[in-house]
Amino acid sequence: MHQASLKNDSKAKIDLSQDNRANGIPLADLLPKNGVQVTHGLDGSLVFDLVTDSRRVVPGSLFFALEGLREDGNDFIEDAIKRGAIGVVSNRSYPAGDGFSSIQVNDPRQALAKFSRRFHSFPDRELALAGVTGTNGKTTVSTLVKFLLQRENQPVGMIGTVRYELGDRALPSFKTTPESADLYAMLRSMQSAGCAEAVMEVSSHGIDQERVNGLNLAVTAFLNLTQDHLDYHGSMEDYFRAKCKIFNGSNGSLPSVGVINADCAWGRRLLEEIPPQVRVMTFGEALDADFRAREINLSQNGTEFLLECPEGEFAVSSPLLGRYNTSNVLAAFAIASAMGQPVKQSLAILPSFQGVDGRMQEVNEGQPYKVLVDYAHTPDALGNALQMLREFTPGRLQVVFGCGGDRDRGKRLQMTEIACGMADLAWATADNPRTEKQDRIFRDMRKGVSDPEKIQFVRDRRSAISKALDRADDGDCVLIAGKGHETFQEINRTAHPFDDRVVASELLRNKRADWEKC
């Protein structure tokens, strides 16, 4: 632990240890003080697990009937009972039966968060936990914070888009911010593995769906806000409002420190709304930023800049490329500082950072041009990536990109405009079509075509990557954008194996004979 004051040492009124959970916990002991309307049949009920998917129910599970975008958990209560659930938590009245309990609550998602926190013995009271939110950069910043804080005998937990690091093991990620039952189980595992600190990505969906309701976040960080998820939130204002909840207390808990991007207009708005009891630390190139970068020198090998911060002025050498990654480094330094890490210590560690899976990750099979895979899947992220690569590419800059199905249709035109405007050649292709027809996605994207000579539409992603590599020459750069670390394509609710890095590597090996002749 770098800063003990960030940890809430108040004890829970009941002891919910791992052994107690293995033996079952009385359902009555898990009931939150607020939000419960009616209870039936609680006497003697023991809970062994909290479940939101009836297919995961085993005897002794408490089933939470959550209303989703496509399905309603209330439709699966009978299935949960048949599988051995000892009770249901719902916003509807449901009759209790022999050995079956019923709890009606105002908001099942809030209830799940409260039940989960108690069931797993309030692990967020023992961990100094940092939450990172923003449209772009969450994974890079979270991974870098974990790297800066990690010590040989002191693991640091992490929950995010790429993987879940639990201290003694890592799991592949299935949601950027997991459901409360899974989240608190992971935090408890981190604590058991010896973690005193953890960092997590906090998505707007996770906040809006109450997955982090009441979570004791010692530090919260706001990186930026650009267009994304408007299919879900409806407007940028509502998107912003969701992010604000983990800073202003409307999420049920106030952070000790709020780390805010002073270069972002939405960050400036957030600064006006943070309660006075939250200590604020800002970062950016703005003159009034607490962690300020100036005299930025960008190169193809990394970035150098002068850092002005409360601890003094320091020369920084970062292996991360691009101006946007300077902002990410500043955010990570500020978060680490809020967690008690001296800036000098972070400075010494930064140069050895190896980057993040699927973030400007190079694919090198000896070809005479660069091939990079990046997760950029928003207009802002794609523009930043192409702008940065343009500065370091002596030849032509190509981009392979797509737009996801069943998501914000408004950004499709924008991403195509950016690709046409900033790349020499663009290859529009499938990303994760999900349940949407690729032709419809292409129709939306075509509205952003400014120069038909610079862009081709290729339905099959492997073919699009192959065509881009065929057109590449000495000194060129091919950016394969949108999926980054992902190892699948989601088509009609089925995950098909597909990894841009693997595909590019295979294609390059197959084409070796061609470019070796050149």
Side-chain angles (χ1 to χ4, degrees), residues 321 324-325 356-362 372-376 381 384-386 388-389 479:
L321 303 176
Y324 64 93
N325 270 321
V356 183
D357 289 347
R359 272 60 175 178
M360 283 298 163
Q361 187 170 348
E362 186 170 4
L372 297 166
V373 172
D374 193 76
Y375 191 52
N384 285 335
L386 289 172
M388 183 268 289
L389 292 175
L479 171 65

Side-chain angles (χ1 to χ4, degrees), residues 467-478:
K467 289 177 181 294
L469 298 179
D470 285 341
R471 295 288 297 274
D473 206 344
D474 290 16
D476 288 355
C477 178
V478 178

Side-chain angles (χ1 to χ4, degrees), residues 118-307:
R118 295 177 70 82
F119 185 78
H120 290 287
S121 194
F122 301 89
D124 55 326
R125 289 181 173 176
E126 303 301 323
L127 287 167
L129 184 60
V132 181
T133 196
T135 307
N136 302 308
K138 295 188 296 296
T139 300
T140 297
V141 171
S142 296
T143 305
L144 182 52
V145 170
K146 171 183 163 59
F147 182 78
L148 294 177
L149 296 180
Q150 189 105 8
R151 299 293 175 271
E152 184 176 352
N153 298 315
Q154 184 68 70
V156 176
M158 185 174 71
I159 292 173
T161 303
V162 177
R163 67 178 63 88
Y164 307 135
E165 300 276 0
L166 306 183
D168 56 359
R169 66 191 188 281
L171 303 174
S173 172
F174 49 86
K175 278 183 181 178
T176 296
T177 306
E179 294 288 356
S180 303
D182 296 316
L183 172 61
Y184 281 101
M186 292 179 196
L187 295 179
R188 180 70 178 189
S189 294
M190 292 176 191
Q191 188 182 2
S192 298
C195 295
E197 296 161 315
V199 58
M200 65 179 289
E201 297 179 46
V202 186
S203 68
S204 60
H205 289 70
I207 298 170
D208 188 69
Q209 295 174 12
E210 308 289 358
R211 298 177 206 164
V212 294
N213 181 274
L215 181 66
N216 181 35
L217 292 167
V219 179
T220 53
F222 179 91
L223 304 183
N224 49 64
L225 198 74
T226 62
Q227 182 171 335
D228 201 11
H229 307 308
L230 297 192
D231 56 302
Y232 180 87
H233 293 290
S235 69
M236 288 296 291
E237 183 66 26
D238 288 343
Y239 185 20
F240 175 65
R241 286 285 139 225
K243 299 286 191 185
C244 287
K245 289 182 179 180
I246 62 171
F247 294 88
N248 62 19
S250 58
N251 188 55
S253 177
L254 272 177
S256 298
V257 183
V259 175
I260 314 295
N261 184 353
D263 294 339
C264 174
W266 294 100
R268 288 287 184 180
R269 277 191 59 184
L270 179 57
L271 286 171
E272 299 173 0
E273 301 187 17
I274 293 184
Q277 57 268 46
V278 177
R279 181 163 66 95
V280 172
M281 299 171 66
T282 58
F283 67 92
E285 296 180 47
L287 292 175
D288 59 348
D290 296 314
F291 282 72
R292 181 194 174 209
R294 61 182 180 86
E295 297 183 25
I296 299 172
N297 180 26
L298 305 174
S299 76
Q300 60 183 350
N301 298 315
T303 307
E304 295 180 346
F305 61 90
L306 288 179
L307 168 66

Side-chain angles (χ1 to χ4, degrees), residues 403-414:
C403 296
D406 302 333
R407 297 293 188 269
D408 183 3
R409 294 177 64 187
K411 69 180 185 180
R412 296 172 184 175
L413 177 153
Q414 296 180 37

Side-chain angles (χ1 to χ4, degrees), residues 412-456:
R412 296 172 184 175
L413 177 153
Q414 296 180 37
M415 291 183 68
T416 307
E417 286 180 337
I418 289 168
C420 286
M422 302 185 70
D424 297 301
L425 291 172
W427 307 86
T429 188
D431 189 277
N432 289 317
R434 300 184 177 91
T435 65
E436 192 172 356
K437 297 293 185 183
Q438 187 62 42
D439 287 342
R440 179 184 175 183
I441 299 172
F442 276 172
R443 281 199 300 271
D444 289 340
M445 294 174 69
R446 288 182 192 276
K447 296 173 184 176
V449 175
S450 57
D451 185 350
E453 299 297 320
K454 293 178 63 174
I455 186 167
Q456 291 190 34

Side-chain angles (χ1 to χ4, degrees), residues 365 462 503-515:
E365 293 292 342
R462 184 184 182 93
V503 170
S505 183
E506 290 174 352
L507 290 170
L508 285 169
R509 289 197 297 271
N510 292 339
K511 298 174 189 295
R512 183 187 299 274
D514 294 332
W515 44 258

